[in-house]
Amino acid sequence: MTDYERLSQRLKLMAHPERLRMLDILRRSPECVCHLEALMDRPQPYISQQVRLLHRAGVLRSEKRGQNTFYRVADPEMLAWLDQVLGPVPEEEREIHHLLPDCVCPKCQREEVRLYA
Amino acid sequence: MTDYERLSQRLKLMAHPERLRMLDILRRSPECVCHLEALMDRPQPYISQQVRLLHRAGVLRSEKRGQNTFYRVADPEMLAWLDQVLGPVPEEEREIHHLLPDCVCPKCQREEVRLYA
DNA sequence: ACTCTATATGCAATTTATTGAATGTACGAT
DNA sequence: ATCGTACATTCAATAAATTGCATATAGAGT
C-alpha cells in the first residue's frame, strides 16, 4: 500500500457530510450514540454504522459509562486535518456538551451539566 | 448546501489515491497532460478525466503553451489541505520538473530544463 | 427469568464513483 | 487538404459507498 492509498483511505472518512459533521461534534467533547442520534436527527443504526466505520479505522476511541458508550476523536492526524478543514475549535467551545430537549442521554438529564450549556 | 456538504465534496477530490498523487505533482510545478501520463503510468484519457474533475471544481488552473496544456493547483484552500496532509513542499522541490526518459513533452525534450533535474 | 435500554450488526436496494476503451476535436505542420 | 499530436469527451461495465430497515446482543433493573 502506497502512502497515497493510505492517506486517501483516511481522507475518505472525512469526505462525507454526515461523518464530517459527526467528527466536528466528537472533536469537541465525547458523546454517546443516543446523543448523536438526537443531535444529527438520524436513526440510531445509521449513527452506529458511521461510528463503527470511524472506530474501526482508529479515528474514534470509545468509553463505556454506565449504559452509554461515549465516543471521541482520538487520532492526532485526524484532529489536525479537522483543524485545517473546519478551523480550530475555539477554547470556549471545548468539552461542552450541547443539551437537547428531546435527548434521553444521561448528560442531557443531569442538572449540573446544564450549567455549561 | 451546508458547509459540511461543500467541504466533503471538495475533500472527495483529494480522497482518491491517483488524484492525490496528481495533486502532489501539480502543487510543485505545472505539468502537461502527456507528462502526467508518463509520470503516473496511466492512459491519457484516464489522466484527462481526473484533470477535468479537478479543473471543473476550480482546483486546477490550465494554461496553454504551444501544443500543450499545463495544469497547476491554483486553489489556496486545496493547497493548504495538501500541505497538512502530505506535508509542505520543501523549497528545493518547488518548480522542479521531473524529467522522464520516455516522456515526449516539451519540457522533457529541452536541454536547458535538464539543468534543474 | 423477563424486560427495557443502549448500541451493534447484517443485509439488500440504490446510488455514486471508478475505470477502460472508443472516438472526437482543435490546431499546427507539411 | 491531410496528417499528426495533444488533449477532450462519451459511454458502458464494474466496483464501491450509502442508506434504510430488520434484527441481534449485552447489561441493568425488576
Side-chain angles (χ1 to χ4, degrees):
Chain A
M1 170 136 67
T2 70
D3 258 15
Y4 297 118
E5 282 172 326
R6 191 192 73 81
L7 289 168
S8 67
Q9 279 197 355
R10 310 203 85 220
L11 284 167
K12 243 173 244 181
L13 298 170
M14 271 194 351
H16 179 288
E18 298 296 332
R19 281 197 300 271
L20 187 57
R21 186 174 169 206
M22 182 178 277
L23 288 166
D24 195 19
I25 294 166
L26 297 181
R27 71 181 176 145
R28 289 153 199 269
S29 68
E31 304 292 354
C32 62
V33 174
C34 69
H35 189 73
L36 288 170
E37 191 183 339
L39 248 185
M40 301 182 63
D41 192 33
R42 288 278 183 173
Q44 174 271 317
Y46 181 87
I47 301 290
S48 274
Q49 271 174 115
Q50 303 296 358
V51 159
R52 177 148 79 124
L53 223 67
L54 297 169
H55 187 247
R56 266 198 328 215
V59 171
L60 301 183
R61 187 176 307 164
S62 70
E63 195 190 330
K64 267 251 167 70
R65 297 191 210 159
Q67 294 265 97
N68 304 84
T69 307
F70 285 76
Y71 289 93
R72 64 156 70 235
V73 182
D75 182 66
E77 184 180 53
M78 185 60 77
L79 283 167
W81 292 356
L82 291 169
D83 276 0
Q84 179 67 54
V85 170
L86 300 169
V89 178
E91 185 59 53
E92 67 273 18
E93 286 177 28
R94 289 184 196 161
E95 299 301 326
I96 287 194
H97 181 81
H98 289 264
L99 295 173
L100 300 169
D102 55 340
C103 180
V104 294
C105 93
K107 271 186 169 183
C108 284
Q109 300 308 315
R110 275 179 305 183
E111 284 302 321
E112 334 97 63
V113 187
R114 215 167 288 267
L115 296 168
Y116 297 95
Chain B
M1 169 136 67
T2 71
D3 259 15
Y4 296 119
E5 282 172 326
R6 191 192 73 81
L7 289 168
S8 67
Q9 278 197 356
R10 310 202 85 223
L11 283 167
K12 244 172 242 180
L13 298 170
M14 272 195 347
H16 179 288
E18 298 297 330
R19 281 197 300 271
L20 186 58
R21 185 171 169 209
M22 182 178 278
L23 288 166
D24 194 19
I25 293 166
L26 297 181
R27 73 182 176 142
R28 290 153 198 270
S29 68
E31 304 292 354
C32 62
V33 173
C34 70
H35 189 74
L36 287 170
E37 192 184 338
L39 248 183
M40 300 183 64
D41 193 32
R42 289 277 183 175
Q44 175 270 316
Y46 181 87
I47 301 288
S48 273
Q49 273 175 115
Q50 304 296 358
V51 159
R52 177 148 80 126
L53 224 67
L54 296 168
H55 188 247
R56 266 198 328 214
V59 171
L60 301 183
R61 187 174 307 165
S62 70
E63 195 189 330
K64 267 247 166 72
R65 296 191 210 159
Q67 294 266 97
N68 304 84
T69 307
F70 285 75
Y71 290 93
R72 64 155 72 235
V73 182
D75 181 66
E77 184 181 54
M78 185 61 77
L79 283 168
W81 292 355
L82 291 168
D83 277 0
Q84 179 67 53
V85 170
L86 299 169
V89 178
E91 185 60 51
E92 68 273 17
E93 285 178 29
R94 290 185 193 160
E95 300 300 327
I96 287 195
H97 181 82
H98 289 263
L99 295 174
L100 300 169
D102 54 340
C103 180
V104 293
C105 92
K107 271 186 168 183
C108 283
Q109 301 308 316
R110 275 181 304 185
E111 284 302 322
E112 336 96 63
V113 186
R114 214 165 289 265
L115 295 167
Y116 296 95

